[in-house]
Amino acid sequence: MGRARRERELVLEHLAELRSLPLGGMPEPAFRERLRAELLSGALLDAPQAPARRRPARRRPLLSQLAALGLAAAMMISSFATYQSVPGDSLYPLKRAAESTLVRLSSDDAERGERELASAKTRAKEVATLLGSAEGGTLVGRTLKDMEESTRSGISRLERAEPRSPKIKTFARDQKKVVGPILKQLDDSQLAQAEGYLDYIEGLVAPD
């Protein structure tokens, strides 16, 4: 496997792991250590090698090692902050771009569908977070719309790839548990959106 391809797969793995975190959650220590080790390993591999018949190069100075560690920490913090962002935050467009990249790089319709449904779950959690903040306002309606679009697209892809997939029912049940409790906090227009969405996913768990 080429190095460029392996690096791309590592990036995708990290994006997927960070994306699975609940809002307000922290990355596991094992993930942080692995990311740091990979970044340091990459930095060492990129360093120029000593030519043959020459004395070995001196060890990298402590300052360089600290710089590499600082870069690893900065990247981890930046990634974490991006995936904890909600609509209205400066890093939110980067979060959505990363999600879109994961969908585009999926290998088939089944994987794309699952990732779009994961995005819909994230939108539902964002709505709940926005309702608990003073800055929510019109962002709630937009996020509800994005949630429904991701859901319909993901369901369509998954049904094509895996007809009668149990993943669809599982998604619908999980999503109802998140969206249902927030209904009482929505205004009239938002309530209509959310109820229409719940009607749609209710049909996904109906008996065959």
Side-chain angles (χ1 to χ4, degrees):
M1 179 185 296
R3 182 176 173 189
R5 181 180 173 187
R6 179 55 186 157
E7 289 176 347
R8 188 187 74 169
E9 291 187 355
L10 282 173
V11 170
L12 290 176
E13 288 173 11
H14 295 325
L15 286 173
E17 287 185 67
L18 285 167
R19 185 181 184 189
S20 67
L21 287 171
L23 292 177
M26 289 291 291
E28 293 291 331
F31 173 77
R32 298 198 299 265
E33 287 300 314
R34 190 172 76 254
L35 177 61
R36 182 177 69 118
E38 288 169 358
L39 288 168
L40 286 175
S41 174
L44 290 173
L45 288 172
D46 287 338
Q49 303 297 314
R53 296 184 182 182
R54 285 181 130 187
R55 292 169 54 187
R58 294 171 56 189
R59 286 188 177 182
R60 300 180 70 191
L62 179 60
L63 184 60
S64 296
Q65 294 180 16
L66 290 175
L69 286 173
L71 176 61
M75 291 182 66
M76 182 186 71
I77 292 170
S78 176
S79 297
F80 173 70
T82 296
Y83 276 87
Q84 298 307 300
S85 63
V86 295
D89 291 346
S90 59
L91 289 175
Y92 188 71
L94 182 59
K95 175 181 179 179
R96 296 298 299 272
E99 289 181 354
S100 296
T101 299
L102 284 172
V103 172
R104 287 197 302 272
L105 293 178
S106 300
S107 59
D108 53 37
D109 264 351
E111 187 177 357
R112 287 189 182 93
E114 288 184 52
R115 284 179 169 167
E116 288 189 297
L117 294 184
S119 292
K121 286 185 175 183
T122 300
R123 300 292 85 78
K125 294 174 183 176
E126 289 170 356
V127 169
T129 301
L130 288 170
L131 288 171
S133 69
E135 295 80 17
T138 58
L139 295 173
V140 171
R142 177 67 236 182
T143 307
L144 285 169
K145 184 174 184 296
D146 290 344
M147 176 182 71
E148 181 167 355
E149 289 176 352
S150 293
T151 297
R152 290 184 180 275
S153 179
I155 294 299
S156 177
R157 290 182 188 277
L158 202 50
E159 284 181 334
R160 284 200 303 270
E162 301 177 7
R164 299 179 181 276
S165 172
K167 298 172 186 175
I168 295 175
K169 287 189 176 183
T170 299
F171 163 81
R173 292 192 183 105
D174 291 344
Q175 198 74 335
K176 284 173 63 180
K177 293 177 183 178
V178 179
V179 178
I182 67 175
L183 293 179
K184 58 186 178 183
Q185 301 179 59
L186 303 175
D187 63 27
D188 290 344
S189 62
Q190 295 163 356
L191 182 61
Q193 281 182 278
E195 288 180 335
Y197 178 79
L198 287 174
D199 287 344
Y200 168 63
I201 63 175
E202 182 67 36
L204 301 176
V205 295
D208 293 330

